[in-house]
């Protein structure tokens, strides 16, 4: 069986890094636009909660912020819980890989790519 998801979207807020025992956990949410349908002015948007651990958690926290594009590769995880006496369920992406979907923002002083301010590669971790 296969459980792999790849999503590219924008962070809806700055990532949150927490220490959980000896591990680091980063939680964040991405907004992913669906393709527009004929006659629609705007595409519909899906929102995905994501979690990353340890090295990926630190990397995401250090390299990404609200509004930036990110591509995540991971697995869908579903969970059920009880809130106010009601059973609820949630689905999140457990991030295994992080990719830059394009060029990083250039620094304010218009420096060139040689300075390390941009990245045009793909896979990082």
């Amino acid at each position: 069986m296969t459980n792999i998801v790849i999503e590219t979207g924008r962070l809806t807020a700055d990532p949150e890094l927490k220490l959980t025992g000896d591990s680091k956990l980063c939680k964040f949410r991405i907004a992913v636009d669906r393709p527009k349908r004929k006659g629609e002015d705007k595409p519909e948007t899906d929102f995905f909660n994501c979690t990353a651990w340890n090295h990926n958690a630190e990397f995401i926290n250090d390299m990404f912020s609200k509004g930036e594009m990110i591509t995540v590769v991971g697995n869908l995880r579903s969970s059920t819980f009880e809130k106010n006496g009601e059973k609820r369920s949630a689905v999140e992406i457990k991030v295994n890989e992080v990719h830059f979907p394009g060029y990083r923002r250039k620094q304010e002083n218009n420096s060139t790519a040689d300075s390390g301010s941009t990245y045009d590669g793909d896979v990082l971790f």
Side-chain angles (χ1 to χ4, degrees):
M1 292 188 198
T2 303
N3 178 358
I4 298 173
V5 62
I6 302 170
E7 295 291 344
T8 298
R10 294 193 182 276
L11 274 79
T12 62
D14 288 337
E16 296 177 22
L17 185 66
K18 298 177 182 178
L19 189 61
T20 310
D22 292 337
S23 300
K24 293 180 180 160
L25 170 65
C26 182
K27 291 188 173 195
F28 59 99
R29 187 174 172 104
I30 59 173
V32 179
D33 288 341
R34 295 182 193 171
K36 283 196 311 187
R37 294 181 185 170
K38 277 188 176 179
E40 287 183 344
D41 292 335
K42 291 182 180 179
E44 290 184 46
T45 303
D46 292 308
F47 295 89
F48 297 99
N49 293 322
C50 302
T51 57
W53 291 90
N54 299 316
H55 188 68
N56 282 337
E58 287 183 74
F59 180 77
I60 292 165
N61 188 64
D62 292 344
M63 298 300 292
F64 294 91
S65 59
K66 179 180 179 177
E68 291 186 320
M69 293 287 288
I70 187 172
T71 297
V72 295
V73 179
N75 311 100
L76 287 179
R77 300 287 170 108
S78 62
S79 59
T80 56
F81 57 95
E82 201 167 304
K83 184 175 181 179
N84 299 329
E86 290 184 40
K87 287 188 177 184
R88 298 186 180 231
S89 62
V91 175
E92 69 180 12
I93 299 171
K94 180 189 172 281
V95 176
N96 297 321
E97 297 176 23
V98 180
H99 302 256
F100 287 112
Y103 287 97
R104 299 283 296 151
R105 279 192 255 164
K106 290 188 179 180
Q107 294 176 349
E108 295 285 325
N109 63 3
N110 294 327
S111 60
T112 64
D114 292 338
S115 69
S117 63
T118 61
Y119 176 80
D120 62 354
D122 195 16
V123 176
L124 290 181
F125 297 98

